[in-house]
Amino acid sequence: MTNPNSTIPFINFKTGLLSTCIIGLIACGGGKGDGGTRASTPASSSVASVAPSSSSAASSSVAPDEGMTMLKTDGTKWVKASGTPILLKGTNLGNWLVQEFWMMGQGSNGVTDQCTLEAELTKRFSYEEKERLIKLFRDNWIKERDWDQLQAFGFNVVRLPILWSVIEDEKNPRTLRADAWHYLDWSIAEAKKRGIYVILDLHGALGGQTPNDHTGCAGQNKYWTEAEYQDRTKWLWEQIATKYKDESVVAAYDPLNEPWGSTAEDMAVRVTELYETIRKIDSKHIVMLPSHYGSIDAYGDPAAKGMTNVAFELHPYPGLFGDRPNDSHFDIHRDWLKCGQTGTGGVCDWNTRLTALETPMLMGEFQPWQGAGAGENELGGKIGGATYDIYASYNWASTSWAYKLVSVAGGQGKGTWGMVTNEVNTTLDTGVGLITKASTWDCNNWDSTFANACAKKATTITAGGTGDKTYYLVIKTGANGGANPDVTFDSISLKNTTTNEELLANGNFGTTGGWSELTISGSLNVNYNNTDISKAPTGSEGAVLHITRPDGVTGEINGALYQQIILKGGQTYDFTGVFKGNGSVNTWAEIYLIEDAPVAGKDVVDNAGKVDFTTAPVEEIEALFKSYGDVGYEVNAGLAKWLVTDEHNNVFDYPERPTNLTLIQTGTDVTLNWVAVAGNGITYNVYRATSAGAKGTLVAEGLIATSFTNINVSEDETYYYSVTAKNSIAEGYASNTANTQLLFVAVPAKIEAEEFTAMNGVQTETSGDTGGGTNVGHFDAGDFIEFKIKAETAGNYTIDYRLATNTGSTGFEVLIDDVVVDTQAIAATGGWQTYITKTSAGFALSAGNHTLRFRSIGKEWNLNWFEIKKQ
């Protein structure tokens, strides 16, 4: 790292990085995978800062002839006062004016968000001391060096998340704090010196617009039911609009971040009220219209409703939060950014919608790089750079989540959520605490050794002190409410590096010996002798440990296995093993080495490096908050390069898809043939699935010939084959599908939704229903799934449907041989993975083969299974 006392100590980039791109003035994107050509412009005029003045700005992304004018909308574009389009690229300054404890490596003993922190500090010290300490934190989380780094990334916009009480006096409703505008004014001044616009984002409204901690207070969601909170939020926006109505550096007002605590219709009503509140004072600034999860339908056509100068806002997180857990990082982002196999999905679909509405877009939060490598030429930085450029190619503004993340361990690893993070912490005791970890938030569908774990890599363990010391090795796994863990472990070993003595009993499993079970919350289903090869981690041998959610258990589940071990002080130990996520959703898998025996009902956590705000002296809290401003930074090297370089970004330079795939089945042998793909160094991979539309399992790779024979194939299963072409850069899209003989399912029968024989537009995902498995979702109007069934006898039948929807849906119709036999609307079930069973009316079915189709009328519903019953 560079000298921490230098002017910009944390920027590691090639000479000229600060002045290589006019981001926002010239389209930096190009053709397929093209990073584009970029240039620089003179600095903008400086302004006085309300905080201590910084060093003079380096370069600016502001055109010298126009400066930082007020922005407005023009059709689907963000434009300057003259009508010149501006391509806004930036990030969010998260965890600054509203805290999210996961972003700063803290949280324990009930202090896990801004509300609980402020309450604890007030109770222990005083209200005035709480205010001083929160100001100390805010003065250090973002400093002048951070604005320099934002400029180094080539950004020309930041989204500034704000908690309501930054502006309103929490003790005196509808009264401004004495320092209400301090941080906003300082941000605007620092941004202006660097040619950066600011979007003011009410991230945490009074009462909370969702029950999530990023509103400042977890578990509230009272904004929707308390008229007083709604009225005070209107008052707050009156103050903001009055203060900044003539400030050109403010790009837009974002009235409510992720207002998802109620229905889409309720969201549209409240956001429209805030729009009207702002418009009574400020007719010039752009006002954001946030989506409801991924839908903007509740607004209709803003222009038809008399709205002017508005832009929609989306927070897409492809591959995260349970989305496509079985697919690779590359495939997920390629499909989103390059519009999928049909060329009409992903961003292309959104471009079509926005063009029809003649309204711009802000991609207000997104995270394409975490877990995909942080090196200069690794996938994370390349995907990150391509994401910004492709959004810009549609004239969309974009602000990623997020700029800065600090953890106890430090370091970028395989890529954290922060563009910058703290340097690796070399002072931690390597004898205790969290020793390895993977989670679905850190990596998609992991399968790795402990040494390569995506969230915490296992390293050599050194026991502190002298003599024998008692420790407990704890394997902890769990999942959020409604989610199913599906985690396997094997080959766990802890050996003395000198004597090679193995300290763990039964690390290869197969029996329960050596391990004790611990219930923390809910309960786990623990199988010590799982022999399902598909679940086994790479590198495992024989039976493996398998942890899942028990049938009928709801809510958060968290539990552990542990055993006592004795380490010798001063000696070192190798800790190894393998584990696999198996498509888990909202799941963690962590292994700890701790000194205190685990206790039922008490979570096992690593408090090393954390401050206990319930007991820590004020000096310790001060030191922590000051450290956020002084800590050395480790910048994501891939982002630092691919956001500003002139070099061609080849991440999507994949070959064309093979065509004319044909299949000939002779007994148990299946022969495939396809047309060759043009290009140098082309090889082919063959995939086989048991359901239509799925990529399936790799059965052959690196083929040079354009034919392949799969031998010893079961004749009691329908298989779907596809072929991809691969070059030295990446793998392309799959060919058309060719299948073996379609087998008709005899009914009555229960049929899993993912076992369709044909489909259009849908996706499969890990199910949170009882029994786990996979469900089908992502339905839009006109999408369908199709099944081949065979009625053994004629008669009257019904269908039970296992359905879930968070928002409610106009549902679907069921057709048999193109005749509608049932139609189902679905009321909200309580969550995307909260399932109910509905039953159709009776219908007649003749004996013989039939085609059954579910055709979507609406959208936003999931199907786990259906059961055809004879009356």
Side-chain angles (χ1 to χ4, degrees), residues 22-27 41-45 60-89 155-157 191-192 194-198 247-252 284-286 309 360 395 397:
I22 318 178
I23 302 288
L25 299 180
I26 296 175
T41 60
S44 62
S45 58
S60 168
S61 53
V62 179
D65 59 331
E66 193 170 2
M68 297 189 72
T69 73
M70 192 82 70
L71 301 185
K72 59 183 181 179
T73 65
D74 181 8
T76 60
K77 299 176 181 179
W78 298 67
V79 301
K80 304 186 85 173
S82 66
T84 304
I86 179 168
L87 304 180
L88 296 172
K89 298 183 181 182
F155 289 152
N156 66 343
V157 67
K192 188 172 186 177
R194 296 163 178 84
I196 297 173
Y197 284 92
V198 178
E247 177 53 71
S248 62
V249 176
V250 173
K284 294 177 287 188
H285 276 102
I286 297 169
N309 218 26
N395 297 299

Side-chain angles (χ1 to χ4, degrees), residues 235-297:
W235 175 88
L236 188 73
W237 275 109
E238 288 174 348
Q239 310 314 305
I240 297 171
T242 300
K243 170 71 174 177
Y244 295 115
K245 62 183 179 181
D246 296 317
E247 177 53 71
S248 62
V249 176
V250 173
Y253 300 137
D254 196 348
L256 277 179
N257 174 67
E258 296 183 356
W260 302 343
S262 187
T263 65
E265 292 72 24
D266 202 3
M267 174 200 72
V269 169
R270 299 301 166 210
V271 171
T272 300
E273 287 177 352
L274 295 174
Y275 165 84
E276 291 169 348
T277 297
I278 292 168
R279 281 291 176 255
K280 290 176 182 177
I281 298 166
D282 184 345
S283 62
K284 294 177 287 188
H285 276 102
I286 297 169
V287 178
M288 305 309 306
L289 303 179
S291 65
H292 193 267
Y293 294 95
S295 175
I296 58 174
D297 294 348

Side-chain angles (χ1 to χ4, degrees), residues 629-667:
D630 298 332
V631 66
Y633 282 168
E634 184 175 321
V635 177
N636 185 305
L639 294 174
K641 173 181 178 177
W642 292 105
L643 288 176
V644 297
T645 184
D646 292 335
E647 184 180 338
H648 170 67
N649 187 344
N650 64 6
V651 68
F652 291 134
D653 286 357
Y654 48 80
E656 298 297 326
R657 56 190 295 230
T659 57
N660 296 333
L661 176 65
T662 60
L663 178 151
I664 299 174
Q665 184 173 6
T666 307

Side-chain angles (χ1 to χ4, degrees), residues 91-95 102-104 140-143 145-146 401-406 416-422 627-631 633:
T91 191
N92 281 266
L93 300 186
N95 193 58
W102 67 274
M103 297 182 69
M104 59 183 188
N140 281 280
W141 185 260
I142 295 294
K143 301 180 78 170
R145 65 171 182 167
D146 297 295
W401 193 275
Y403 166 67
K404 177 177 177 178
L405 180 142
V406 171
T416 72
W417 279 66
M419 304 183 77
V420 302
T421 189
N422 52 315
S627 74
Y628 293 133
D630 298 332
V631 66
Y633 282 168

